[in-house]
Amino acid sequence: MSTLTAQHRPVAGMLWMFSAGMSFVVMTALVKSLGSSMDPTQAAFLRFAFGLIFLLPALRLMLKTHLTRNHIVLLGTRGVVHAFAVMLWFFSMTQIPLAEVTAMNYMTPVYVTLGAALFLGEKLAIRRIAAIGVALVGVLIILRPGFREISLGHITMLGTALTLGGSYLIAKVLVRDLPPSVVVAHMSIWVTIALIPFAIAVWTTPSLRDLGVLFLVASFATAGHYFMTIALKAAPVAVTQPVTFLQLIWATLLGALVFNESIDIWVVAGGTVILLAVSFIAWREAVLNRSSLTTPSIAPKL
């Protein structure tokens, strides 16, 4: 989670967020390319297992950081919650188009905003409530219940955004006491551990191609998080967030050109509505300079 601070490099921030968005879209496309060659749960486990390689730079800080029993409980709980989010996301990728996965993932910060009000005591101003209502309209535009069949993939993607929201609410509590890099590193470790029994239950011997693809997934996910961190240091979320709209454009084009998915203008429209709502919340908090409040960020954190 990040808070708004006075920053003065908006162009650099937008360029870094553009790079982060490209990394996340490539990551998503690589997962999509696996198709049905591997169970989504096993793929999720291997993605995080490979990701542990990138934790080595944070190892010394992790060992030096003192953890209380409460920290360990929260870290473990977050790992389990995030593991379910990852399994749901990988499954959704096998069921619905790239553009729909990307658009529906935009709901994560909306759930975080609601959760911060319900569980962390943050005030929910009328403008935030209105923006949340607009975001929910965006979901209805994407799903269009009554006008088309809502698949299991849509339901699991809604569950993905909800569980990711829960994961980052716990992270918001943890970063009050612990360095963010330690919180992120522990998440990867705990998620990997939590996924082990589920992966064993569906395990099949992976091909070298699948292992290579999943290593690239872990690499692009790590790069995306790194670029996003630099972007948020260079400029506030209110400035960088609108750039993430391009993720939906790239995902739509990749889906059409690489995976022969039809371009659904309703999905693009609904994703745009959600993004505008979330961006308004971030902009409003920047105007009010209420840095203690949760500032939404829509980058997918998988």
Side-chain angles (χ1 to χ4, degrees), residues 5-302:
T5 54
Q7 306 288 350
H8 305 285
R9 300 171 56 213
V11 175
M14 289 188 288
L15 288 174
W16 281 116
M17 189 60 81
F18 171 83
S19 300
M22 288 295 293
S23 298
F24 287 132
V25 170
V26 172
M27 174 198 74
T28 305
L30 286 169
V31 173
K32 187 79 171 178
S33 72
L34 290 172
S36 58
S37 64
M38 181 184 296
D39 188 277
T41 301
Q42 182 180 347
F45 166 73
L46 288 172
R47 172 264 179 269
F48 271 87
F50 282 131
L52 294 179
I53 297 172
F54 301 102
L55 297 183
L56 293 177
L59 185 58
R60 178 177 296 181
L61 181 59
M62 287 177 61
L63 295 175
K64 290 171 57 178
T65 302
H66 173 69
L67 299 178
T68 66
R69 177 180 296 181
N70 186 55
H71 290 150
I72 295 173
V73 170
L74 286 174
L75 288 166
T77 301
R78 188 194 181 201
V80 172
V81 172
H82 205 95
F84 277 101
V86 170
M87 287 189 286
L88 290 171
W89 185 80
F90 271 77
F91 175 79
S92 300
M93 286 297 304
T94 67
Q95 302 295 311
I96 58 178
L98 273 175
E100 296 192 31
V101 169
T102 303
M104 294 181 70
N105 195 61
Y106 286 174
M107 280 299 293
T108 297
V110 175
Y111 293 138
V112 173
T113 300
L114 284 171
L118 291 173
F119 303 112
L120 302 182
E122 292 190 1
K123 293 182 179 180
L124 204 57
I126 187 65
R127 289 181 177 85
R128 275 196 165 199
I129 296 173
I132 290 170
V134 171
L136 293 175
V137 170
V139 173
L140 291 176
I141 292 173
I142 295 171
L143 297 179
R144 303 190 299 284
F147 294 91
R148 71 163 181 172
E149 180 183 358
I150 298 177
S151 71
L152 180 59
H154 293 116
I155 296 172
T156 54
M157 196 58 217
L158 286 172
T160 299
L162 182 61
T163 46
L164 278 178
S167 170
Y168 290 102
L169 281 175
I170 298 174
K172 182 175 174 64
V173 175
L174 285 165
V175 294
R176 294 171 179 171
D177 302 324
L178 304 175
S181 58
V182 171
V183 174
V184 172
H186 271 279
M187 181 201 74
S188 296
I189 294 171
W190 284 99
V191 169
T192 305
I193 294 172
L195 287 172
I196 288 175
F198 298 98
I200 291 175
V202 297
W203 189 267
T204 58
T205 303
S207 67
L208 289 177
R209 173 194 174 275
D210 288 346
L211 289 175
V213 168
L214 287 167
F215 180 78
L216 286 175
V217 168
S219 300
F220 277 101
T222 302
H225 288 301
Y226 178 70
F227 294 150
M228 183 178 65
T229 300
I230 298 176
L232 295 176
K233 286 182 179 179
V237 175
V239 172
T240 60
Q241 186 144 254
V243 179
T244 56
F245 170 74
L246 295 173
Q247 291 181 36
L248 182 56
I249 301 299
W250 307 144
T252 301
L253 291 175
L254 267 176
L257 298 175
V258 179
F259 300 105
N260 296 315
E261 298 171 349
S262 60
I263 297 178
D264 190 335
I265 191 63
W266 292 104
V267 172
V268 176
T272 304
V273 169
I274 297 171
L275 174 58
L276 289 174
V278 175
S279 296
F280 173 80
I281 295 173
W283 171 80
R284 184 62 186 169
E285 298 311 329
V287 170
L288 297 177
N289 194 29
R290 292 155 71 179
S291 59
S292 63
L293 295 182
T294 297
T295 304
S297 175
I298 68 164
K301 302 170 181 67
L302 294 163

